[in-house]
Amino acid sequence: MKHRFSFLLRPFSATMDIIFLDICFALAYRLKFGTTESLFEVPYVTLFWFINAAWLLILLLNKPYNFSRLTFTIQNLLVDLAKLIGLHIALVSVFWVFTKGGYSYSREQLLLTYVLFLCAGSLWRSVVLILLKVYRAMGYNTRRFVVVGYGPLSRSIQTFYQMYPEIGFKFYGYFDKMTPDNASSLRGDYSYLKDYIVRNEIDCVYCCLPYIDTEQLRDIMNFSEEAKYQVKLIVDFKGFLTKGVTVEYHDVQPVISMSTHYLDDLRVNLFKRTFDVFFSAGVLSLGAPLFMVIAVITKLSSKGPVFYSQERIGKWGKPFRIYKFRSMYPDAEQGGPALSAGNKDHRITPWGQFMRKTRLDEIPQFYNVLRGDMSVVGPRPERQYFINQIIEKSPEYKYLLMVKPGITSVGQIKFGYAENVEEMVQRLWYDLEYLQNVSFSTDVWLIFQTVRVMMQGRGK
């Protein structure tokens, strides 16, 4: 049975709010008057029953707690709580006006009630949200989805849910026309889709419009009523960033407006740059003794300079020199530009292998961050030689050049170092996903993930 517990979330939320509202009302009465003996006597018993009735009325009319998994965030929950409390205060105020002639209530007690309830409501929402996300990240309470239409755009959906397992979506495969090139990646073709949906109780079907035709889409939508699954469309914006997409209505005709306005958002850029400067300065100053030790070991472990410098391409295609602790022998690229072959690469020194696994070789790049060439979090900078090859295979790469490259990224954490251009293209989709979710919380999460990779020595 699908979502056998999901329907309990709303009544659970309503019950929790009613319980905490009553507790806060009684606690505020106790704090104001020093006792609760007269709480259930006139006039406060009348007010007690009214605040409960008013809250239930608001729930019936407003229908809160209605969040999708993507919008189920602490910010949305707290904003929703504040709106509910505001409406409730309005109703209680009206009640007070009509009963003012007969009853007298304490303003301090009511104010304290709402302050306590705001704190309690925020607390239980935060705890439940964290527990639910952890529960989903562990693989429980998941929604099953398939993607119809196979290609770079459809793979980005799978990448997104791999990045955020706490949302609780489990991937069940791709469906498309079978060809020799894609057969190994598909679960089946269109003829197998309906039976697969029914047998595996699929909750959501993502349809990629570039890869399926109108008749196939109509058939999937019609069958959704019978099989009870959601249909979601993935539209090919050719790499345009979704944070700049808005829908305007010209009479009844929807028009999609696309821009990359967030790239020029002064507040976003200023905040991110401020964080980069302070974080980088802190790392370089506090870690200076350790970095000196790394520099000495690098110098003594093999012949050659301590630091390695190379030209990379930054924001808007501007070249800059990147700095790292040297992890290869000095003549590593005497035959021309070449990517690392991982643990089997004879060009990497033994100490360099350790630095790469722990990402210690990347530390000098914090100097690049202070200079403004890079950011702490952003897509990995590449050489022009490889960028030209990547764009031939995946033109979407040029959108990574709209932002500053970074020391760490989703691609570095989820994929790691690439051994060839094909792997660089695969890593590209992780970094493109980051562009659609640029935020301070995402950056902090990626920094913590990077530290975890460093401590576990899982860099590759």
Side-chain angles (χ1 to χ4, degrees), residues 219-236:
D219 188 40
I220 291 171
M221 293 180 67
N222 290 338
F223 186 64
S224 67
E225 298 180 6
E226 177 183 340
K228 301 187 185 309
Y229 59 82
Q230 287 183 312
V231 179
K232 297 187 178 183
L233 305 183
I234 310 174
V235 181
D236 185 7

Side-chain angles (χ1 to χ4, degrees), residues 112-182:
L112 189 55
T113 296
Y114 287 118
V115 170
L116 292 172
F117 181 54
L118 179 62
C119 295
S122 300
L123 179 61
W124 82 255
R125 280 168 168 78
S126 300
V127 171
V128 169
L129 176 69
I130 293 171
L131 292 177
L132 189 56
K133 285 185 177 293
V134 170
Y135 186 65
R136 288 170 175 169
M138 293 171 62
Y140 302 101
N141 188 231
T142 57
R143 296 285 178 89
R144 305 173 180 184
F145 76 97
V146 296
V147 180
V148 181
Y150 182 72
L153 186 65
S154 54
R155 289 197 297 269
S156 68
I157 294 298
Q158 181 189 8
T159 300
F160 174 79
Y161 288 120
Q162 284 179 339
M163 285 174 52
Y164 302 100
E166 70 274 11
I167 297 177
F169 270 69
K170 187 175 181 180
F171 179 60
Y172 268 67
Y174 296 107
F175 289 83
D176 204 341
K177 295 177 182 177
M178 302 285 284
T179 67
D181 294 331
N182 66 18

